[in-house]
Amino acid sequence: MDLITTIRNSIRAIPDYPKPGIIFRDISPLLQSASAFRATIEAFAQRYEAQGIDQVAAVEARGFIFGAALAQRLGCGLTLLRKPGKLPGPVVKECYALEYGEDALELQECAFREPQRVVLMDDLLATGGTVAAAARLLSRTKAELVEAAFVITLDDLPGEQKLRDLGITCYTLCRF
């Protein structure tokens, strides 16, 4: 079985969660399977190992899981993009709109002291709001965003097009 098939088969579909009409894509079985998790990191590593990546920038919270493992596999650093109030020291903040309200991401000011090639990592791309905010945040630093990477993209939502419109290239392992 190839890597992508292994990964795709380990993602569980839960109908009508969290509300009727929604199909929730659960990555818990993927994380619980050593072979599926390994396949996920290996698939990303195959994509990025020859691209001179200096940092993986991971979005809170599930992006941390994949970002940390990928950074270790590539032998590069890991930068955390967190919700407000979670990082010490001076931070750079980017606010973004939610369906009902607003949220924000923060990055330590000292994260990129020199130009660095960065992959932006999250587990799932849906509407693209969080990742667009993360990309805007990175653009205010010396980071060179190479690509945004996702385990899952939900094709019936506008996230990928939103990111393309911002000039951000996306790489996804599994589409639903």
Side-chain angles (χ1 to χ4, degrees):
M1 190 174 345
D2 72 344
L3 294 176
I4 301 303
T5 302
T6 298
I7 297 162
R8 186 176 184 81
N9 288 346
S10 70
I11 297 169
R12 181 172 54 173
I14 301 176
D16 299 320
Y17 181 82
K19 59 185 184 178
I22 302 291
I23 299 174
F24 183 81
R25 300 298 173 173
D26 183 16
I27 62 167
S28 296
L30 183 156
L31 296 172
Q32 293 164 347
S33 166
S35 61
F37 188 53
R38 187 178 315 106
T40 302
I41 301 310
E42 189 56 32
F44 283 124
Q46 287 176 8
R47 172 99 176 162
Y48 298 115
E49 61 193 349
Q51 293 192 35
I53 301 301
D54 299 303
Q55 293 280 328
V56 175
V59 178
E60 188 167 337
R62 291 179 304 265
F64 291 178
I65 299 165
F66 299 101
L70 179 60
Q72 191 280 326
R73 171 64 176 74
L74 294 177
C76 69
L78 175 69
T79 296
L80 304 179
L81 302 174
R82 303 223 44 202
K83 300 294 183 182
K86 302 289 186 181
L87 292 171
V91 296
V92 181
K93 182 176 183 176
E94 183 69 35
C95 296
Y96 59 100
L98 297 171
E99 187 176 354
Y100 300 105
E102 187 176 272
D103 208 344
L105 288 173
E106 293 181 341
L107 169 69
Q108 289 177 315
E109 280 184 4
C110 63
F112 300 102
R113 295 178 189 202
E114 58 189 49
Q116 293 189 308
R117 292 176 53 78
V118 175
V119 170
L120 178 57
M121 173 71 67
D122 206 354
D123 68 318
L124 182 134
L125 176 60
T127 64
T130 303
V131 176
R136 286 192 305 275
L137 191 55
L138 291 173
S139 74
R140 294 166 49 197
T141 72
K142 293 183 178 184
E144 175 195 339
L145 180 55
V146 173
E147 199 163 62
F150 308 95
V151 178
I152 299 168
T153 290
L154 301 178
D155 280 341
D156 59 338
L157 294 173
E160 191 166 16
Q161 186 59 52
K162 179 179 198 165
L163 296 179
R164 268 195 223 119
D165 291 346
L166 296 171
I168 300 166
T169 304
C170 298
Y171 178 66
T172 298
L173 298 180
C174 299
R175 296 179 172 281
F176 292 97

